[in-house]
């Protein structure tokens, strides 16, 4: 088992028991499991998870981000603009050929 995975499992155990996640508690759990981990990992994970609701983070892993909301009218307009954008990209590609030289000339 990797060191990072052992610390993550320890953090999950603490969160499941509704215990505050600290570097000392993480270290105690990992030591009880008999896994050798460099001390820096405990403090890194404790700082990263401080003030975070780990259960909420786990429940929202597959949820979409909080990007900008798109209305139905804007979505329809965006769909009609897509072919025009592709045409512009094709024109740029053609203009590169007009220079008279290429990568392998």
């Amino acid at each position: 088992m990797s060191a990072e995975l052992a610390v993550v499992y320890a953090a999950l155990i603490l969160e499941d028991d509704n215990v505050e996640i600290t570097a000392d508690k993480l270290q105690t759990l990992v030591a009880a499991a008999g896994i050798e981990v460099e001390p820096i990992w405990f403090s890194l994970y404790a700082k990263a998870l401080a003030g975070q609701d780990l259960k909420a983070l786990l429940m929202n892993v597959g949820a979409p981000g909080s990007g900008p909301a798109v209305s139905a009218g804007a979505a329809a307009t965006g769909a009609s603009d897509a072919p025009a954008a592709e045409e512009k990209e094709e024109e740029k590609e053609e203009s590169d050929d007009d220079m008279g030289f290429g990568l392998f000339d």
Side-chain angles (χ1 to χ4, degrees):
M1 176 182 294
S2 71
E4 294 87 1
L5 190 59
V7 177
V8 169
Y9 284 153
L12 290 173
I13 291 169
L14 291 173
E15 181 67 27
D16 191 48
D17 289 340
N18 294 324
V19 177
E20 182 182 3
I21 299 172
T22 64
D24 293 334
K25 292 176 184 174
L26 290 172
Q27 189 172 11
T28 302
L29 280 173
V30 172
I35 300 170
E36 293 182 22
V37 177
E38 294 180 30
I40 188 70
W41 291 112
F42 303 117
S43 60
L44 285 175
Y45 276 90
K47 287 179 184 177
L49 297 173
Q52 299 289 328
D53 184 10
L54 197 54
K55 290 179 184 176
L57 289 173
L58 290 173
M59 297 304 281
N60 293 323
V61 169
S66 60
V70 178
S71 65
T77 305
S80 65
D81 291 341
E86 290 177 10
E87 290 176 12
K88 290 180 182 179
E89 289 178 18
E90 290 177 12
E91 291 175 10
K92 289 181 182 179
E93 291 175 8
E94 292 173 5
S95 66
D96 291 342
D97 294 335
D98 294 337
M99 299 177 106
F101 61 91
L103 183 61
F104 299 106
D105 288 340

